[in-house]
């Protein structure tokens, strides 16, 4: 149980294009999904918190107009990297948290999406 | 700014050895603590939660010292398959409740088990 999928698993695009990444919780409902980014040899950095039916909350330094997040249902959140540039090349990982009621705050991670912008 | 500090390593240890990792966190209000394992180019996977009383799962033992804001992970009888990056992870909320409360990750400690 508690499987999270991401699509695509990798993408290569030209500078200036937009890329959409999907994150799905396959066998549970997730009121909250998180988007992280990991550069080589760095830790995962939280980009934004996405709550179903409301606007995402972005971490300091993350441009909300560049990284568009939509959490339209309890099983799907999307991250769109608009006008991607080479410095946006990174490993993007989503995670999902099960609805209220659990005694600890475990998050289940998707397999990640490796974005390369040429 | 919430921070989690770890020794990046790499730790090179022979198979069968015991190895320990340490981690410190800056936010004294932190509530939940975890060790995750991340293999190269993969997503992190939960290894174990860390409880105040300390806890053990097979060859793995985790300890928490709230007064010193210090977390440790001990791996006994290390296996080749234990080679990975171990991430110390902290969260400030006990229960789910929405909001900007994602996990704060350390940079990880790279472990290499040698045959």
């Amino acid at each position: 149980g508690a499987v999270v999928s991401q699509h695509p698993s990798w993408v290569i695009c030209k500078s200036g294009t937009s890329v959409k990444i999907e994150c799905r919780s396959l066998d549970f409902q997730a009121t909250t999904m998180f988007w992280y980014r990991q550069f080589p040899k760095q830790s995962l950095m939280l980009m934004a918190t996405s709550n179903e039916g409301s606007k995402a909350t972005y971490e300091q330094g993350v441009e909300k107009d560049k990284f568009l997040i939509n959490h339209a249902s309890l099983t799907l959140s999307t991250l769109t990297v608009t006008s991607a540039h080479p410095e946006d090349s990174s490993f993007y990982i989503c995670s999902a948290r099960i609805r209220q009621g659990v005694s600890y705050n475990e998050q289940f991670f998707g397999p990640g999406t490796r974005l390369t912008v040429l | 700014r919430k921070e989690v500090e770890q020794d990046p390593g790499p730790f090179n240890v022979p198979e069968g050895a015991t190895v320990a990792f340490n981690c410190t966190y800056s936010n004294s209000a932190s509530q939940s603590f975890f060790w995750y394992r991340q293999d190269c180019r993969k997503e992190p996977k939960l290894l174990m939660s860390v409880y105040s009383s300390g806890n053990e799962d097979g060859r793995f033992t985790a300890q928490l010292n709230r007064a010193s804001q210090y977390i440790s992970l001990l791996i006994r009888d290390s296996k080749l398959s234990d080679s990975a990056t171990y991430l110390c992870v902290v969260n400030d909320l006990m229960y789910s409740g929405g909001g900007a409360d994602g996990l704060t990750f350390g940079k990880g400690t790279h472990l290499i088990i040698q045959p």
Side-chain angles (χ1 to χ4, degrees), chain A residues 32 34 36 38 42-46 49 51 57 59 91 93 97-107 109-111 114, chain B residues 1 32 34 36 38 41-44 46 49 51 87 91 93-108:
Chain A
T32 305
F34 303 88
Y36 295 85
Q38 186 177 33
Q42 298 295 314
S43 62
L44 277 75
M45 295 297 293
L46 179 66
T49 301
N51 290 300
T57 303
E59 293 298 297
F91 190 43
I93 307 176
R97 186 170 60 195
I98 294 177
R99 300 184 75 135
Q100 288 189 349
V102 297
S103 60
Y104 60 89
N105 192 25
E106 182 174 0
Q107 295 181 20
F109 286 84
R114 194 161 298 281
Chain B
R1 180 185 173 92
S32 308
F34 310 92
Y36 276 75
Q38 186 174 27
R41 302 174 80 84
K42 299 283 188 182
E43 77 277 19
L46 179 66
S49 301
Y51 303 121
L87 306 171
N91 185 274
L93 291 186
M94 183 75 77
Y95 300 103
S96 60
D101 59 345
L103 300 171
T104 301
F105 284 78
K107 289 188 178 181

Side-chain angles (χ1 to χ4, degrees), chain A residues 62-105:
Chain A
V62 178
E63 299 174 57
K64 62 181 180 181
D65 294 330
K66 180 171 180 63
F67 298 99
L68 302 179
I69 291 172
N70 184 281
H71 192 161
S73 77
L74 286 171
T75 58
L76 173 64
S77 176
T78 61
L79 168 68
T80 301
V81 183
T82 61
S83 187
H85 291 285
E87 57 265 29
D88 297 323
S89 299
S90 187
F91 190 43
Y92 291 85
I93 307 176
C94 73
S95 71
R97 186 170 60 195
I98 294 177
R99 300 184 75 135
Q100 288 189 349
V102 297
S103 60
Y104 60 89
N105 192 25

Side-chain angles (χ1 to χ4, degrees), chain A residues 4-20:
Chain A
V4 177
S5 71
Q6 271 185 252
H7 178 80
S9 56
W10 59 269
V11 58
I12 302 173
C13 68
K14 292 182 179 179
S15 186
T17 59
S18 294
V19 176
K20 180 188 280 190

